[in-house]
Amino acid sequence: MSRVHLKYRRLIFILLLVLLLASVSLFAKPNNIAISIRIDAIEGHGMGLHDILFSFDSLLSNKFSYFIQIGSATLPDKKGHIKNIILQCHDGVISKQVISCNDGELSFKDPLASANKTKIQFNRNKLGDLNIVMGNFNLATGSATLQVGMNDGVWQARLKSRGVSFAKLKEMLPSFPELFLKGIMKSDITLVGNGSSLHEIHGNALISKLTFSNEESTMVGEEVATKISFASKRLQDTWQSEINATIFQGELYFDPLFIDANTSPKDLYGKINWQIGSNQIELAPLHFEDANIMHLEITTVIDFEQKQAITPVQADIKYAYFPKVYDVYMLPFLLDTNIADLTTKGKLAGLILLDGSRIVETDLALDYLSFDDNQNRFSITKLNGNFGWGQRYSDKNYEFSFDAANIYKLRLESSKFSFSNNEQALVLKQPVSVPILDGAVNIESFQVKHPGKEEQSILMDISLTPVSMSKLSTTVGWPEMNGNLAGYAPNVAYKQGDVDIQGALLIRGFGGTTTIHNLSAADLFGLTPKLTADVQLNNLDLSSLTETYSFGEITGR
C-alpha cells in the first residue's frame, strides 16, 4: 500500500511540473525567462568567493542580460577582502564558444579601490583568451581605468590612474614603503606575465607634492615633483630596469647632500639590475645630470642592508663646472677636511674609481682649474692638462701646468710637469725648476708610490737655490733679515698629511750660519700644523740679531 501511495505522489509531482512549464509557455514571452542560482562559496588557489548569486534572463536568445552578485571575495594569501561585488551585464553572450559582456556595469567596495556602476566590457573564448576593458573606478582617493588581455597564457594589464594618493596607499598597503608620507601620482603602467609570474613592467608617472623621510632623517624630500618613465624585464633570476626621471620641483636631502630642484631640473637615468631575493642593486650605469653644473655617470653595487656600496664606485665625470659643482655637490662631503673653504673656478672631466674614501684610480682632464683657500694657506691658479694614476692607465703619460701657486705667503711661479704612470708609481719624467722669490725650488725627482692605496706616499728629492732672506722675511711678515737661504733635501717623504725632510737647509745671515736638520711637519695643511727640527747656530752676530728682533741687546757671537 505504501509503495502505491509513493508511486502516485511522484506521478502527481510530474503532472504539476508539466502544467507549470505549459503555463509559462502560454502566458510568458519567449525571451523573458529568468533563472537564479545561489552558491554559498567557491574556494581554491588561495582565493575565495562567498554568498554568490547568479541570475539571467532571455534564455532563449543568443544575447541576453545577466546579473552576478558576490558578497565578498578573499584575495590570494589573505591580502584583503573585496565586498559587495555586483556585475550587471545588459548585453551578453554565453555559449560553448564565448562568454562576453558588451555592455556592463561593475560595482564593488574596498578601502583602497571601489566602483559604482563602472562601465565594463569583457570577452573570453573557449581557448581561454581574455579581454577586459574597465572604465573609471576609484583608486586611493583618485581614479583609474583598466585594460586586461590574455592570449596563449600570456597576460597583459594596463592601469591608467590619476590623483592617486601616496598617503592612502601607505595607509592601506602594509608593504608600501614607510619612506613615503604623501604625494599625488598620475600614471600609465603596463604589466606582462604568464600565469602567476610577472615578467615585465613598463610605463610612466607624474608625481607631485611628494614628501618623504626615513626614521633617521638622512633621506628627506619636500614638495618634490618628478616625471618618470621606466621599463623592467625579468631575465631568469634578475630584474633589469631602465629608468628616466626628471626632478623639476622641490628640495631633497640625502645626507650630507642637499639638492634644490627649484633652481634647475635634475635628470636621473640609466640601468639598474636587481638579483631576486637579494638586498643588492647594481647601477649599470646610472646617470645624474644637473644642466650647466655636472653630468655624472655612476657604476657600482649597493647593499641596502649595509647602506653602502660593496664594490668600488666608478664615477665618470662627463663635465663639472666650478664653482657651482664645488659649492653644491662637493662641499657637503668636505666639511671636516682641509679643503672645505675654497674659492674655485674652471672645469673638470674624467674618471675616478673610489674604494671607500680612497681614490684607487683616476684619469682627469683639468681645464684651467683654480683653487684659492680662503684661510690663505694655499692656492693654485689655472691648473691645466691631464693627471691620473691606476692600473688601467699604466704606461700613460700625463702633463699639466699652472700659472701660479701659493703655500701660505710664498708664491710659486708658472711651471710645467710631465709624469709617466705604472702600476706601482706615478713618476716625474724630468726635473722641474719652480721659481720662488729670487731663487727656485728644484725638483730633481718626484714619485707617488702605490697611488690610491692605503700605503700611498710621496717621495721627492729637492734643492733650493739661494733665496734672499730680505725678500723671504718681508714676504712672510717677519722683520727684515739679511743673508740668503739655500738647501738640499735628497729624501722628502709625505704620507697622510705628515712631511719628513732628510737633508739640510742652510741660512746665511747675521754674520754666521744656521743649519736646519731633520725638519718634519705634522698635519701640514691642517688648522694647527706642527713643525719640528734640529737647529744648529754657528758664529751668529748677536748684536745684529738683537737689532733685528726687539727683545733687548746682546753682544758677542
Side-chain angles (χ1 to χ4, degrees):
M1 181 68 180
S2 60
R3 293 181 180 176
V4 175
H5 180 68
L6 180 59
K7 180 179 178 180
Y8 279 106
R9 287 180 59 185
R10 290 179 178 176
L11 180 59
I12 293 170
F13 176 77
I14 294 172
L15 290 173
L16 289 174
L17 181 59
V18 171
L19 290 173
L20 176 61
L21 293 175
S23 62
V24 169
S25 301
L26 291 172
F27 300 105
K29 295 181 180 180
N31 292 332
N32 197 33
I33 296 176
I35 295 178
S36 296
I37 300 173
R38 286 188 178 274
I39 303 173
D40 290 336
I42 300 176
E43 296 179 344
H45 303 288
M47 297 183 61
L49 304 178
H50 305 274
D51 300 327
I52 306 163
L53 172 62
F54 176 65
S55 65
F56 56 89
D57 56 18
S58 302
L59 182 62
L60 303 181
S61 171
N62 286 331
K63 292 186 178 181
F64 58 97
S65 63
Y66 54 88
F67 173 90
I68 300 175
Q69 179 175 326
I70 301 173
S72 67
T74 303
L75 300 179
D77 300 325
K78 298 181 180 179
K79 291 184 178 180
H81 296 79
I82 302 176
K83 296 182 179 181
N84 299 328
I85 305 171
I86 299 174
L87 171 63
Q88 177 69 64
C89 180
H90 302 291
D91 180 7
V93 175
I94 296 180
S95 67
K96 292 182 179 181
Q97 286 75 32
V98 66
I99 299 175
S100 69
C101 181
N102 300 317
D103 180 12
E105 295 174 340
L106 179 65
S107 301
F108 61 88
K109 291 183 180 180
D110 179 76
L112 182 62
S114 63
N116 183 19
K117 295 185 178 180
T118 294
K119 292 293 184 182
I120 186 170
Q121 295 178 323
F122 61 84
N123 182 290
R124 184 179 188 277
N125 62 26
K126 65 179 182 180
L127 299 177
D129 298 338
L130 175 68
N131 289 288
I132 301 174
V133 178
M134 186 174 171
N136 283 323
F137 61 94
N138 301 320
L139 177 63
T141 73
S143 63
T145 62
L146 178 65
Q147 292 180 301
V148 178
M150 185 167 67
N151 188 14
D152 291 334
V154 178
W155 55 264
Q156 177 174 298
R158 181 181 183 184
L159 179 70
K160 299 177 68 175
S161 67
R162 58 182 180 273
V164 171
S165 166
F166 281 161
K168 189 67 174 180
L169 291 175
K170 180 182 176 182
E171 175 188 346
M172 302 311 305
L173 299 177
S175 60
F176 195 75
E178 287 289 331
L179 179 70
F180 298 107
L181 299 180
K182 64 179 182 179
I184 302 297
M185 179 175 66
K186 178 182 179 182
S187 65
D188 185 352
I189 299 173
T190 298
L191 300 92
V192 181
N194 190 334
S196 60
S197 299
L198 178 64
H199 295 160
E200 183 179 340
I201 177 171
H202 59 84
N204 57 76
L206 174 63
I207 300 172
S208 60
K209 299 181 180 180
L210 177 63
T211 298
F212 61 86
S213 176
N214 62 356
E215 291 183 1
E216 300 84 4
S217 296
T218 56
M219 298 174 60
V220 180
E222 291 286 346
E223 296 294 318
V224 176
T226 180
K227 295 185 294 184
I228 302 173
S229 62
F230 61 91
S232 300
K233 183 176 292 187
R234 178 173 178 172
L235 298 176
Q236 295 181 342
D237 293 331
T238 302
W239 276 97
Q240 296 183 352
S241 303
E242 292 189 19
I243 67 166
N244 192 325
T246 299
I247 305 169
F248 55 88
Q249 186 177 327
E251 297 175 338
L252 298 162
Y253 175 72
F254 298 98
D255 186 34
L257 190 62
F258 173 79
I259 300 175
D260 185 0
N262 296 311
T263 57
S264 63
K266 320 299 180 188
D267 295 318
L268 188 69
Y269 57 93
K271 296 181 179 181
I272 299 176
N273 299 327
W274 173 57
Q275 188 78 23
I276 297 173
S278 74
N279 297 306
Q280 301 172 5
I281 63 168
E282 178 189 11
L283 311 183
L286 190 66
H287 295 253
F288 177 80
E289 188 170 358
D290 187 345
N292 302 320
I293 297 181
M294 178 180 67
H295 179 183
L296 186 64
E297 179 184 293
I298 299 292
T299 304
T300 190
V301 175
I302 296 175
D303 189 299
F304 282 101
E305 277 194 352
Q306 300 181 26
K307 298 182 179 179
Q308 63 181 14
I310 60 173
T311 63
V313 178
Q314 179 173 300
D316 190 351
I317 306 168
K318 303 299 183 181
Y319 60 81
Y321 293 104
F322 293 80
K324 286 186 176 181
V325 70
Y326 173 82
D327 296 338
V328 176
Y329 294 105
M330 296 177 63
L331 188 56
F333 297 94
L334 303 173
L335 293 179
D336 295 328
T337 71
N338 300 324
I339 53 174
D341 189 17
L342 304 181
T343 298
T344 63
K345 186 179 180 181
K347 180 183 176 182
L348 176 69
L351 184 141
I352 298 175
L353 186 65
L354 294 167
D355 188 357
S357 60
R358 293 186 297 110
I359 300 178
V360 179
E361 294 184 345
T362 183
D363 184 37
L364 299 176
L366 315 172
D367 192 354
Y368 294 101
L369 278 175
S370 295
F371 301 95
D372 190 355
D373 176 42
N374 294 323
Q375 299 183 38
N376 298 318
R377 293 170 296 179
F378 57 87
S379 69
I380 190 165
T381 304
K382 292 186 178 180
L383 182 62
N384 194 58
N386 299 87
F387 182 73
W389 66 74
Q391 183 176 356
R392 283 183 290 182
Y393 309 109
S394 296
D395 303 323
K396 183 174 181 178
N397 295 325
Y398 292 99
E399 186 174 281
F400 64 90
S401 63
F402 62 83
D403 276 8
N406 285 76
I407 300 177
Y408 291 98
K409 294 183 179 181
L410 295 178
R411 179 180 175 87
L412 306 176
E413 300 299 335
S414 176
S415 300
K416 186 175 182 179
F417 300 82
S418 296
F419 287 87
S420 62
N421 179 44
N422 59 53
E423 293 184 16
Q424 300 299 322
L426 185 68
V427 181
L428 184 68
K429 294 177 65 176
Q430 56 192 26
V432 176
S433 181
V434 182
I436 178 172
L437 299 177
D438 56 348
V441 175
N442 303 301
I443 305 174
E444 304 297 336
S445 66
F446 182 100
Q447 62 176 322
V448 181
K449 298 188 69 176
H450 309 294
K453 299 181 180 180
E454 292 184 1
E455 60 269 28
Q456 175 179 305
S457 62
I458 298 175
L459 300 176
M460 55 183 168
D461 297 340
I462 60 174
S463 64
L464 179 64
T465 55
V467 174
S468 166
M469 288 299 298
S470 174
K471 289 189 175 183
L472 176 62
S473 57
T474 56
T475 298
V476 299
W478 298 340
E480 185 175 1
M481 295 182 287
N482 296 320
N484 58 63
L485 170 67
Y488 175 61
N491 187 9
V492 179
Y494 174 87
K495 187 174 183 179
Q496 297 181 346
D498 297 338
V499 177
D500 290 310
I501 301 176
Q502 302 299 319
L505 292 175
L506 178 64
I507 303 174
R508 298 184 184 277
F510 305 112
T513 61
T514 301
T515 306
I516 302 174
H517 296 274
N518 301 322
L519 177 63
S520 64
D523 196 18
L524 180 62
F525 297 108
L527 297 177
T528 55
K530 298 177 182 179
L531 299 176
T532 59
D534 296 332
V535 181
Q536 181 180 354
L537 307 177
N538 184 29
N539 202 32
L540 296 185
D541 183 349
L542 298 181
S543 176
S544 176
L545 179 64
T546 54
E547 286 177 3
T548 303
Y549 296 97
S550 301
F551 53 83
E553 182 178 354
I554 305 175
T555 60
R557 288 182 177 273

